[in-house]
Every structure is written in structure tokens, then in C-alpha cells.
Amino acid sequence: MSFPILSTILLAPVAGLIIILCLPERKDRLIKITAAVATSVSLGLSLYVFLAYDQAGGGMQFLETVPWVPALGINYALGVDGMSAPLVLLTAIVIFTGVFASWDLEQRVKEFFIFLLMLVTGVFGVFMSRDLFLFYFFFEVAVIPMYLLIGVWGSTRKEYAAMKLTLYLLVGSAFALIGLISLYLAAGVALGFRTADIATLGSLTYGLSFQRWVSFLILFGFGVLVPIWPFHLWSPDGHVAAPTAVSMLHAGVLMKLGAYALLRIGAFSLPEGLKYWAPLIALLCLVNVVYGALVAMQQRDLKFVIGYSSVSHMGYVLLGVAALNLFSLTGAVMQMFAHGIMTALFFALVGQVYHKAHTREIALFGGLAHQMPRVAAAWLIGGLASLGLPGLNNFVAEFLIFIGAFTREQALLGGWFTFRTVAVVAILGVVVTAMYVLRVFKHVFLGPRQPQWDHLTDARGVEMVPIAVLCGVLILFGVLPSPLVEVIKVSIGPLVAKLESAAQIGGIF
């Protein structure tokens, strides 16, 4: 029997969680070291999986299957393909750096790291699951700890934000569950036996009417988590209220679960249904991009700026999903990875500034580059990635999405719009992004030295871990994008072939 590498990635945080449960509450440093060791195991193995993935072989690899509920066709089944391997690596990077970003935590340290490790176990599980029941189980495991992590350790209307986030996501989960059960039952009727195997469900052909409505349930249910406009309102409040590491996980990986589910379940199992709703997704993504960027420009709190910028950037992922071709879908997955790294970096930096200055009010700052030159330099790298500068990871992702949207020949709203029009407006959103990124950098870090901030110290010691790792990844895949692009294309190629062979039923508009 081969080494169960995916189970080890999944269970390393669980092992860390169990060890922390057994430690005395006063052993804060030992608890943090345990969390760091557990997440470093997941990071090392995730990197190995990403590098060892056989691109020539393609498909699901590192498979592990154990029967769980045979009568219902439910298995403990794990595997990764070219789409999920980068996202598993993303999750491992963000949680590893998130532990070090929480090194200064002093309140109820033991409980915090227990819930944090539980959350990341759920995220790993979603990206690795090959079984529909297991997929939804881990999806819920990832969402529920957010309520406690924000409600107990958060700030700025934390109870309100935690309740709002939980209600939004649970409503979305309910719609998604109805869609998943419908898919599971329809497959059982077609096959004559029950199975929750995602690959088997995706190999069947369902009726067009069934695909339309189940796709809508999947789109709405998981779209709330993306977050797709107008169901995004939980996201900025959640970002602002969450403690640093939770904000990093929230924006870095949790929002990616929704887009991943749209591709893994929606596109693979219901291609005609996704093509039907693609025009609606395209128009909503436009609102995400433009509205998110304009609102971000008006914010006075650093976390609100990043929160609304995430709404805007996830609009590019939706544009990639809506265009439904090789360029756009490859770019969408790559944008999930790039945005996850970039936004985790931003929240780690805001956390450092807030911990020392006890405020995130942009107007109160100025000249911080004098006291915090490393933080300023890292913020500039994240900002340049945000506006898609060549040489950083986001540029390649957004470039692929725009090329994909430009080459999609489909009229929208009776010919008033085309995908090319949507792409042009989305590119103009980059200009607005540049405006708020440069505005924040100017007001916070540039200008003369201000004496009231002389007591602030620059990042050093463990504080440099998230900065060095996240900046390094942004630059590495910006300069050398081909390892990431080639792995993603291995899985996107068969998906595009399936979408192109699906029946042409027209779009909703």
C-alpha cells in the first residue's frame, strides 16, 4: 500500500488540533509551535504533490479510496488533478503563514488554534474530495468554525459580522445541498444504483430542463461564497471583523471554494446548464469588478479596502468561468491561486500595522515607510500584483482571462453586449484598482515622517515569515508562470472538450 499522502496533508492539522487539546492553556508558545509544525507538514507534502503531479498522465492522481457507506455509494475518496493541486498548495501556504501572522495572539490561544486548524482541514477536504457527500461534509466543516473565530477573536462589530456571514453562507449551503441531492438522485435513477462518486456523476448526461434548474441551485448556492453580486454583503464585514489569520484564510482560500465548486460540480456534471447561465454570470461579474473597485476607492478602513477589492478581483474569476474556454478557465483557476496569495499578504500586513498602531483608519496615517520600510515594500509588491503588473502572478492570470473573454463570440442581452464588451469594461476596472491601490499607498506610507508613529517598529523575526513567503510566491509564479499554467491546463483541457461537445441550448439572455 502506497503512502497516503493526501490523507496526511488532510490529517496533519487534525493531529495538531488533538495535540493542542492535550496541552495546558498557559503553554501559549508550545501551542503556536505545534500549529506551525502541523501546518508545515501539510505545506511540505502539498508542495511535493504539486511538483510530482504527472502532467503526461493527467486526471486524478494520488488516489485514496475507503468504503464509507456502501449502501448509499458513499466513500472516503481523495485525489487531486491539475485544478485542485494548485489550490491545495495555496491552502497550505496561506495557513502556514497565517499561523505566524497570529504569533502575537494572547487571548484564548488554545481555542483559537483548535478552531483555525479545524477550518483549514475542511478547506483541504473540499479541494481533495472525489465523493459528493465528502465534498459537502468538508464544505460545512470549513464554514462553521468561521462563526466562532470571528465572534470571539474578531473586532469591529464582530458579533454582527459573524452572524451575517454564517447566515449568508448557510442559506447558500442549503440551496447547494438541494442541487447536490438532486444530482445524486438523478444519477441513481440513470445508473440503477446509488453513487456519490463525482467522476461518475460527471460522466452522465442529464436532461436539459434538469440541468438548467440544478445549475441555478449550484450557481446560487456556491455563488454566495464567491461572493457573486448582490450576495457579497457578508464578505467585507467578515473581512473587517475577523482576526488576521482568519481574514487571510477567509479571503485567501474560503472564497475560492465557491468558484471551485462551480467548476468541479457545475461545469463537469452540468455543462449545458452552466452554458445556459453563463451570460448571467458574465453580467454579474461585471458588477463585481466595477462596483467592488469603486466602493474600495471610497473606504477609510484598510480592511474594508481589501475586502471590497476582493469582491472586485473575484469578478475576474467569474468572467473566466463565464467565458468557458481554455484561456479563460485556465486564467480563472490561476486567478484563484494568485488572488489567494495576494490578499493573504495584504491582510497579514494590515494585521501588523493594526497590532502596533491600534487603528486601521487611513486618514490617521502618513509616512509609515520611515518606520516600517519592509511593510511598505511588501505592500507595494501586493499593490502592484493587484493591478496586474507584469512579473507578478496576477498579471498572467488576468491576461489569460481577458484573452479568453475576447475570443468568446456570443451576444448578450439581444446583441447589446458581447463578451468582448464585458472584457473591455473589466479591463477598465484595472484602472480603478490602480487608483485605490496608489491612494492607500500614498496616504499610509508616503509623505513626511509623523512623530506620533515613531514608536512603531518594522516587521522582524516571525513577522517576516508571511511577508517573505507570500511575496516570494507572487514573484516566483509571476516570473515563472509555466509550471502553474501547465498543471492547470491538464485538467482544463478535458473540461473544455466536454463543454464544446455539450448541446447548444443558448443562454438565458
Short mmCIF file of all heavy atoms in Angstrom, two decimals, residues 1-7 10 60-70 73-80 128-132 134 195-200:
data_model
loop_
_atom_site.label_atom_id
_atom_site.label_comp_id
_atom_site.label_asym_id
_atom_site.label_seq_id
_atom_site.Cartn_x
_atom_site.Cartn_y
_atom_site.Cartn_z
N MET A 1 0.85 -1.21 0.00
CA MET A 1 0.00 0.00 0.00
C MET A 1 0.88 1.24 0.00
O MET A 1 1.81 1.36 0.78
CB MET A 1 -0.90 -0.01 1.25
CG MET A 1 -1.84 1.18 1.33
SD MET A 1 -2.89 1.10 2.82
CE MET A 1 -3.77 2.64 2.68
N SER A 2 0.62 2.17 -0.93
CA SER A 2 1.44 3.37 -1.03
C SER A 2 1.13 4.31 0.13
O SER A 2 0.08 4.24 0.76
CB SER A 2 1.18 4.05 -2.37
OG SER A 2 -0.19 4.39 -2.48
N PHE A 3 2.07 5.23 0.35
CA PHE A 3 1.91 6.18 1.45
C PHE A 3 0.70 7.08 1.19
O PHE A 3 0.60 7.69 0.11
CB PHE A 3 3.18 7.01 1.57
CG PHE A 3 3.13 8.05 2.65
CD1 PHE A 3 3.10 7.67 3.98
CD2 PHE A 3 3.10 9.40 2.33
CE1 PHE A 3 3.05 8.63 4.99
CE2 PHE A 3 3.06 10.36 3.33
CZ PHE A 3 3.03 9.97 4.66
N PRO A 4 -0.24 7.20 2.14
CA PRO A 4 -1.46 8.03 1.93
C PRO A 4 -1.13 9.52 2.08
O PRO A 4 -1.45 10.15 3.10
CB PRO A 4 -2.39 7.53 3.03
CG PRO A 4 -1.49 7.08 4.13
CD PRO A 4 -0.25 6.54 3.45
N ILE A 5 -0.54 10.07 1.05
CA ILE A 5 -0.01 11.44 1.16
C ILE A 5 -1.13 12.48 1.32
O ILE A 5 -0.99 13.44 2.09
CB ILE A 5 0.88 11.75 -0.07
CG1 ILE A 5 1.61 13.06 0.14
CG2 ILE A 5 0.10 11.77 -1.36
CD1 ILE A 5 2.72 13.27 -0.86
N LEU A 6 -2.26 12.29 0.60
CA LEU A 6 -3.34 13.27 0.73
C LEU A 6 -3.99 13.22 2.10
O LEU A 6 -4.33 14.26 2.69
CB LEU A 6 -4.39 13.05 -0.37
CG LEU A 6 -3.90 13.24 -1.81
CD1 LEU A 6 -5.06 13.13 -2.79
CD2 LEU A 6 -3.19 14.58 -1.99
N SER A 7 -4.17 12.01 2.63
CA SER A 7 -4.73 11.89 3.98
C SER A 7 -3.80 12.53 5.00
O SER A 7 -4.25 13.12 5.99
CB SER A 7 -4.96 10.42 4.34
OG SER A 7 -6.04 9.90 3.60
N LEU A 10 -4.31 16.18 4.88
CA LEU A 10 -5.61 16.48 5.48
C LEU A 10 -5.58 16.35 7.00
O LEU A 10 -6.16 17.17 7.73
CB LEU A 10 -6.66 15.54 4.89
CG LEU A 10 -8.10 15.67 5.38
CD1 LEU A 10 -8.71 16.98 4.87
CD2 LEU A 10 -8.93 14.49 4.92
N MET A 60 -7.12 12.41 -12.17
CA MET A 60 -6.94 12.37 -10.71
C MET A 60 -5.75 11.48 -10.35
O MET A 60 -5.61 10.37 -10.88
CB MET A 60 -8.21 11.82 -10.06
CG MET A 60 -9.34 12.82 -9.98
SD MET A 60 -9.03 14.07 -8.70
CE MET A 60 -10.45 15.15 -8.94
N GLN A 61 -4.92 11.95 -9.45
CA GLN A 61 -3.74 11.19 -9.02
C GLN A 61 -3.66 11.19 -7.49
O GLN A 61 -4.42 11.86 -6.83
CB GLN A 61 -2.48 11.80 -9.63
CG GLN A 61 -2.48 11.76 -11.16
CD GLN A 61 -1.25 12.37 -11.78
OE1 GLN A 61 -0.22 12.52 -11.12
NE2 GLN A 61 -1.33 12.72 -13.06
N PHE A 62 -2.74 10.39 -6.96
CA PHE A 62 -2.57 10.19 -5.51
C PHE A 62 -3.89 9.70 -4.89
O PHE A 62 -4.32 10.17 -3.84
CB PHE A 62 -2.12 11.50 -4.83
CG PHE A 62 -0.86 12.08 -5.39
CD1 PHE A 62 -0.89 13.09 -6.35
CD2 PHE A 62 0.38 11.60 -4.98
CE1 PHE A 62 0.26 13.63 -6.87
CE2 PHE A 62 1.55 12.13 -5.51
CZ PHE A 62 1.50 13.14 -6.45
N LEU A 63 -4.54 8.77 -5.58
CA LEU A 63 -5.89 8.35 -5.19
C LEU A 63 -5.89 7.56 -3.89
O LEU A 63 -5.00 6.72 -3.65
CB LEU A 63 -6.51 7.51 -6.30
CG LEU A 63 -6.59 8.18 -7.67
CD1 LEU A 63 -7.18 7.22 -8.68
CD2 LEU A 63 -7.42 9.45 -7.60
N GLU A 64 -6.90 7.79 -3.07
CA GLU A 64 -7.13 7.03 -1.85
C GLU A 64 -8.63 6.79 -1.74
O GLU A 64 -9.42 7.74 -1.83
CB GLU A 64 -6.64 7.79 -0.61
CG GLU A 64 -5.16 8.10 -0.62
CD GLU A 64 -4.75 9.03 0.50
OE1 GLU A 64 -5.44 9.03 1.55
OE2 GLU A 64 -3.77 9.76 0.34
N THR A 65 -9.03 5.53 -1.60
CA THR A 65 -10.45 5.21 -1.51
C THR A 65 -10.70 4.18 -0.43
O THR A 65 -10.05 3.13 -0.42
CB THR A 65 -10.98 4.66 -2.86
OG1 THR A 65 -10.68 5.60 -3.89
CG2 THR A 65 -12.49 4.44 -2.80
N VAL A 66 -11.61 4.50 0.47
CA VAL A 66 -12.04 3.57 1.52
C VAL A 66 -13.57 3.59 1.55
O VAL A 66 -14.15 4.68 1.68
CB VAL A 66 -11.48 3.97 2.90
CG1 VAL A 66 -11.99 3.02 3.99
CG2 VAL A 66 -9.97 4.00 2.88
N PRO A 67 -14.24 2.44 1.42
CA PRO A 67 -15.71 2.44 1.50
C PRO A 67 -16.18 3.02 2.83
O PRO A 67 -15.62 2.71 3.88
CB PRO A 67 -16.06 0.95 1.38
CG PRO A 67 -14.89 0.34 0.70
CD PRO A 67 -13.69 1.10 1.17
N TRP A 68 -17.22 3.85 2.77
CA TRP A 68 -17.72 4.51 3.99
C TRP A 68 -19.16 4.07 4.26
O TRP A 68 -19.44 3.45 5.28
CB TRP A 68 -17.63 6.04 3.81
CG TRP A 68 -17.87 6.81 5.07
CD1 TRP A 68 -18.15 6.31 6.31
CD2 TRP A 68 -17.82 8.23 5.21
NE1 TRP A 68 -18.28 7.32 7.21
CE2 TRP A 68 -18.08 8.53 6.58
CE3 TRP A 68 -17.58 9.29 4.34
CZ2 TRP A 68 -18.12 9.83 7.07
CZ3 TRP A 68 -17.61 10.58 4.84
CH2 TRP A 68 -17.88 10.84 6.20
N VAL A 69 -20.08 4.35 3.34
CA VAL A 69 -21.47 3.90 3.46
C VAL A 69 -21.80 3.21 2.14
O VAL A 69 -22.40 3.82 1.24
CB VAL A 69 -22.43 5.07 3.73
CG1 VAL A 69 -23.83 4.54 4.05
CG2 VAL A 69 -21.92 5.96 4.84
N PRO A 70 -21.41 1.93 1.98
CA PRO A 70 -21.56 1.26 0.69
C PRO A 70 -23.00 1.24 0.17
O PRO A 70 -23.22 1.34 -1.04
CB PRO A 70 -21.06 -0.17 0.99
CG PRO A 70 -20.16 -0.01 2.17
CD PRO A 70 -20.74 1.09 2.99
N GLY A 73 -23.48 4.28 -1.68
CA GLY A 73 -22.43 4.61 -2.66
C GLY A 73 -21.53 5.74 -2.20
O GLY A 73 -21.00 6.49 -3.03
N ILE A 74 -21.34 5.88 -0.88
CA ILE A 74 -20.52 6.95 -0.33
C ILE A 74 -19.18 6.38 0.12
O ILE A 74 -19.14 5.37 0.83
CB ILE A 74 -21.23 7.63 0.86
CG1 ILE A 74 -22.53 8.30 0.38
CG2 ILE A 74 -20.33 8.65 1.53
CD1 ILE A 74 -23.39 8.84 1.51
N ASN A 75 -18.09 7.02 -0.33
CA ASN A 75 -16.74 6.56 0.00
C ASN A 75 -15.91 7.71 0.56
O ASN A 75 -16.16 8.88 0.26
CB ASN A 75 -16.03 6.02 -1.25
CG ASN A 75 -16.74 4.83 -1.83
OD1 ASN A 75 -17.03 3.87 -1.12
ND2 ASN A 75 -17.04 4.89 -3.11
N TYR A 76 -14.91 7.33 1.38
CA TYR A 76 -13.86 8.28 1.72
C TYR A 76 -12.89 8.23 0.53
O TYR A 76 -12.06 7.32 0.42
CB TYR A 76 -13.17 7.86 3.02
CG TYR A 76 -11.93 8.65 3.35
CD1 TYR A 76 -12.01 9.90 3.95
CD2 TYR A 76 -10.66 8.14 3.06
CE1 TYR A 76 -10.87 10.62 4.24
CE2 TYR A 76 -9.51 8.86 3.37
CZ TYR A 76 -9.62 10.10 3.95
OH TYR A 76 -8.48 10.81 4.24
N ALA A 77 -13.04 9.17 -0.40
CA ALA A 77 -12.28 9.13 -1.65
C ALA A 77 -11.58 10.47 -1.86
O ALA A 77 -12.24 11.51 -1.97
CB ALA A 77 -13.19 8.83 -2.83
N LEU A 78 -10.25 10.42 -1.91
CA LEU A 78 -9.46 11.63 -2.12
C LEU A 78 -8.65 11.51 -3.40
O LEU A 78 -8.31 10.41 -3.85
CB LEU A 78 -8.50 11.86 -0.95
CG LEU A 78 -9.08 11.98 0.46
CD1 LEU A 78 -7.97 12.22 1.48
CD2 LEU A 78 -10.12 13.07 0.55
N GLY A 79 -8.32 12.65 -3.99
CA GLY A 79 -7.48 12.69 -5.19
C GLY A 79 -7.29 14.14 -5.59
O GLY A 79 -8.04 15.02 -5.14
N VAL A 80 -6.27 14.40 -6.39
CA VAL A 80 -6.07 15.76 -6.91
C VAL A 80 -5.81 15.68 -8.41
O VAL A 80 -5.24 14.70 -8.90
CB VAL A 80 -4.91 16.50 -6.22
CG1 VAL A 80 -5.21 16.79 -4.76
CG2 VAL A 80 -3.60 15.73 -6.37
N MET A 128 -9.75 18.17 -2.10
CA MET A 128 -9.28 16.81 -2.39
C MET A 128 -10.41 15.82 -2.63
O MET A 128 -10.16 14.73 -3.16
CB MET A 128 -8.45 16.29 -1.20
CG MET A 128 -7.17 17.03 -0.93
SD MET A 128 -6.40 16.29 0.53
CE MET A 128 -5.08 17.42 0.84
N SER A 129 -11.63 16.14 -2.25
CA SER A 129 -12.72 15.15 -2.27
C SER A 129 -13.08 14.71 -3.69
O SER A 129 -13.20 15.52 -4.60
CB SER A 129 -13.97 15.73 -1.60
OG SER A 129 -13.74 15.92 -0.24
N ARG A 130 -13.26 13.41 -3.84
CA ARG A 130 -13.78 12.85 -5.09
C ARG A 130 -15.18 12.28 -4.89
O ARG A 130 -15.73 11.66 -5.80
CB ARG A 130 -12.86 11.75 -5.60
CG ARG A 130 -11.48 12.24 -6.03
CD ARG A 130 -10.69 11.15 -6.70
NE ARG A 130 -10.41 10.05 -5.79
CZ ARG A 130 -10.85 8.81 -5.94
NH1 ARG A 130 -11.61 8.50 -6.98
NH2 ARG A 130 -10.53 7.86 -5.08
N ASP A 131 -15.73 12.49 -3.71
CA ASP A 131 -17.06 11.98 -3.37
C ASP A 131 -17.96 13.16 -3.01
O ASP A 131 -17.56 14.05 -2.26
CB ASP A 131 -16.94 11.02 -2.17
CG ASP A 131 -18.27 10.42 -1.78
OD1 ASP A 131 -19.07 11.10 -1.11
OD2 ASP A 131 -18.53 9.26 -2.17
N LEU A 132 -19.16 13.18 -3.57
CA LEU A 132 -20.06 14.32 -3.40
C LEU A 132 -20.41 14.55 -1.93
O LEU A 132 -20.45 15.70 -1.46
CB LEU A 132 -21.34 14.08 -4.21
CG LEU A 132 -22.17 15.31 -4.55
CD1 LEU A 132 -21.39 16.28 -5.42
CD2 LEU A 132 -23.47 14.89 -5.25
N LEU A 134 -18.67 13.60 0.73
CA LEU A 134 -17.46 14.05 1.42
C LEU A 134 -17.18 15.52 1.10
O LEU A 134 -16.78 16.29 1.98
CB LEU A 134 -16.28 13.19 0.97
CG LEU A 134 -15.06 13.12 1.89
CD1 LEU A 134 -15.41 12.47 3.22
CD2 LEU A 134 -13.92 12.37 1.22
N THR A 195 -24.59 6.21 -6.20
CA THR A 195 -23.16 6.55 -6.12
C THR A 195 -23.01 8.05 -5.90
O THR A 195 -23.79 8.84 -6.43
CB THR A 195 -22.39 6.14 -7.39
OG1 THR A 195 -21.01 6.51 -7.22
CG2 THR A 195 -22.93 6.85 -8.62
N ALA A 196 -22.02 8.40 -5.09
CA ALA A 196 -21.69 9.81 -4.86
C ALA A 196 -20.34 10.15 -5.49
O ALA A 196 -19.79 11.22 -5.22
CB ALA A 196 -21.66 10.10 -3.36
N ASP A 197 -19.82 9.24 -6.32
CA ASP A 197 -18.53 9.48 -6.96
C ASP A 197 -18.66 10.63 -7.96
O ASP A 197 -19.45 10.56 -8.92
CB ASP A 197 -18.08 8.20 -7.69
CG ASP A 197 -16.74 8.42 -8.37
OD1 ASP A 197 -15.75 8.63 -7.67
OD2 ASP A 197 -16.71 8.39 -9.62
N ILE A 198 -17.90 11.69 -7.76
CA ILE A 198 -18.05 12.90 -8.58
C ILE A 198 -17.72 12.62 -10.04
O ILE A 198 -18.39 13.14 -10.95
CB ILE A 198 -17.15 14.03 -8.01
CG1 ILE A 198 -17.68 14.48 -6.64
CG2 ILE A 198 -17.09 15.21 -8.96
CD1 ILE A 198 -16.82 15.52 -5.94
N ALA A 199 -16.72 11.80 -10.31
CA ALA A 199 -16.36 11.48 -11.70
C ALA A 199 -17.50 10.73 -12.39
O ALA A 199 -17.81 11.01 -13.56
CB ALA A 199 -15.08 10.66 -11.72
N THR A 200 -18.12 9.79 -11.69
CA THR A 200 -19.24 9.04 -12.28
C THR A 200 -20.42 9.96 -12.54
O THR A 200 -21.07 9.89 -13.60
CB THR A 200 -19.66 7.89 -11.35
OG1 THR A 200 -18.54 7.06 -11.09
CG2 THR A 200 -20.77 7.05 -11.97
#
